Amino acid sequence: MNVYTEAGTPLTLADPPIGKGGEGAIYRIDGNPGRVAKIYLDPADAASRRDKIEAMASISDLFQENGPLETIAWPLGALYADPEAASFVGFGMRTVSTPITIDSLYEYPADPGANFSMLDKLCVIESVAALTDQAHKAGQVIGDYNDNNVAVLPGCRAALVDADSFHATIGGKTYPCAVCMPGYAAPEVLRNMHGFATYEDCTKETFTQKTDDWALAVHVFRTLFNGAHPYHCLPIPNANGSLPSVLPIDKRVERGETPFFTAVPGVKLPPFTPDVDMLPPYLRALFERAFVAGHADPSRRPSAAEWQQAIARYKGDVRQRCCNQAHWYWEQRPTCP
């Protein structure tokens, strides 16, 4: 398959694609080992994305020359079906090897293909926080900040993929994020979505850097708590033995019902999670700012830079004193949690 750059330069894409999703397929580019192309499957979908991708590509130098931003799969150049650049089909981006995504770190016991120690996990989530901070300093908002979009690279580093879904702002114009996975939308986003069928239809504010801070806090929490969401509740049986229905995570989020940090009637904590007291006070305080104070007031949420600093501090405060070498825990804990 041949495609063309905006300047009319032909590129040959190697069949078959190395990946395929609901939106598009990923191809290697012959003669460009460090680059791949994302080609949208639906021509109408591609046409609707053209302005956004071309705008994102116009600031691609920022994501090529800035080391901390190099693991964001930012569109580097728009691609077309013809040398006249009349028919937009996709974009080129840096190759990001994504053998696993961050949700693999949530499993306990660990998946054999992602056997990370807790210290390794801390290194990954510190990298996630640093990458988030750099994206924010570049004036961007991630938007749909779900676990499928956070890749784990060798050396316990992180990458952000599906950057074409970012809530991007270029030249004073915002190109909105149109999707969000359940569990990662901040409460103000959920409230503002009332009465709207899709994010594209919503006329109220949706994604901001503070909603990214919310989702980042969810990632940090899930990393430390065996994959549990901070609003994960299990219903307690009624006196007659009946069991109340399980509410969706987003409903709990909207209500502010986090059983780890507030009293939520009729529910209990998941049995597979450790106690929050396993953490030092400075980490517990950040979680309470994110999920309690920050529930009503987004400005109270810790920034990505604060999370990065706190995780770096925690890495220095954990010790390995357990028969399981994957277990690292706060040095002031008497036993492994």
Side-chain angles (χ1 to χ4, degrees):
M1 177 193 304
N2 285 335
V3 294
Y4 299 85
T5 68
E6 187 175 17
T9 304
L11 299 175
T12 300
L13 307 186
D15 277 321
I18 57 175
K20 195 171 185 178
E23 295 178 349
I26 307 298
Y27 294 86
R28 293 186 179 91
I29 303 174
D30 286 352
N32 289 271
R35 300 289 186 266
V36 293
K38 179 173 181 176
I39 304 300
Y40 293 109
L41 301 176
D42 181 357
D45 183 33
S48 70
R49 296 170 182 266
R50 177 172 182 160
D51 288 350
K52 179 178 184 179
I53 299 303
E54 289 178 340
M56 294 179 77
S58 73
I59 62 167
S60 63
D61 285 352
L62 177 64
F63 293 82
Q64 296 186 73
E65 299 171 359
N66 187 324
L69 294 174
E70 288 181 353
T71 57
I72 297 178
W74 191 266
L76 301 181
L79 298 175
Y80 307 87
D82 55 274
E84 295 77 26
S87 179
F88 171 79
V89 293
F91 61 92
M93 59 184 174
R94 181 181 292 102
T95 302
V96 177
S97 176
T98 56
I100 61 172
T101 50
I102 197 171
D103 58 339
S104 298
L105 275 65
Y106 300 155
E107 295 184 40
Y108 185 83
D111 182 279
N115 193 14
F116 288 79
S117 72
M118 178 52 73
L119 187 60
D120 294 331
K121 294 180 182 183
L122 291 175
C123 291
V124 172
I125 201 64
E126 180 186 14
S127 178
V128 174
L131 200 52
T132 307
D133 180 50
Q134 289 298 321
H136 287 178
K137 287 178 178 175
Q140 301 306 320
V141 172
I142 298 166
D144 183 24
Y145 201 175
N146 70 73
D147 46 20
N148 291 329
N149 291 343
V150 183
V152 180
L153 304 179
C156 295
R157 297 180 303 123
L160 296 179
V161 299
D162 284 344
D164 52 324
S165 71
F166 271 35
H167 196 78
T169 299
I170 296 101
K173 180 177 179 179
T174 296
Y175 300 85
C177 172
V179 293
C180 190
M181 181 182 288
Y184 293 95
E188 65 270 24
V189 175
L190 297 173
R191 289 191 291 266
N192 286 345
M193 280 297 297
H194 286 184
F196 299 98
T198 67
Y199 286 98
E200 290 178 299
D201 295 333
C202 186
T203 58
K204 298 180 180 180
E205 185 177 64
T206 53
F207 302 102
T208 66
Q209 291 188 357
K210 298 312 294 183
T211 68
D212 282 355
D213 291 341
W214 171 276
L216 174 61
V218 171
H219 286 306
V220 177
F221 187 91
R222 296 193 68 189
T223 300
L224 297 177
F225 285 84
N226 295 342
H229 192 281
Y231 288 78
H232 190 154
C233 302
L234 293 182
I236 298 173
N238 295 319
N240 62 5
S242 65
L243 195 65
S245 61
V246 177
L247 290 179
I249 289 290
D250 277 354
K251 181 61 68 175
R252 295 286 189 193
V253 168
E254 191 173 352
R255 294 179 178 181
E257 296 175 346
T258 169
F260 294 90
F261 304 103
T262 62
V264 183
V267 304
K268 59 182 179 181
L269 295 176
F272 58 86
T273 61
D275 194 285
V276 294
D277 287 340
M278 74 165 185
L279 297 176
Y282 57 86
L283 276 182
R284 294 200 303 270
L286 288 187
F287 281 128
E288 289 179 0
R289 281 177 53 196
F291 302 128
V292 182
H295 184 271
D297 182 0
S299 69
R300 299 286 300 278
R301 295 171 193 160
S303 67
E306 288 181 273
W307 279 115
Q308 182 185 1
Q309 293 164 7
I311 296 162
R313 177 181 175 184
Y314 187 48
K315 283 169 55 183
D317 289 345
V318 295
R319 297 292 181 268
Q320 185 186 48
R321 298 171 180 160
C322 180
C323 59
N324 188 325
Q325 294 186 358
H327 292 188
W328 292 72
Y329 58 95
W330 184 33
E331 62 184 355
Q332 294 191 31
R333 288 279 307 185
T335 59
C336 178

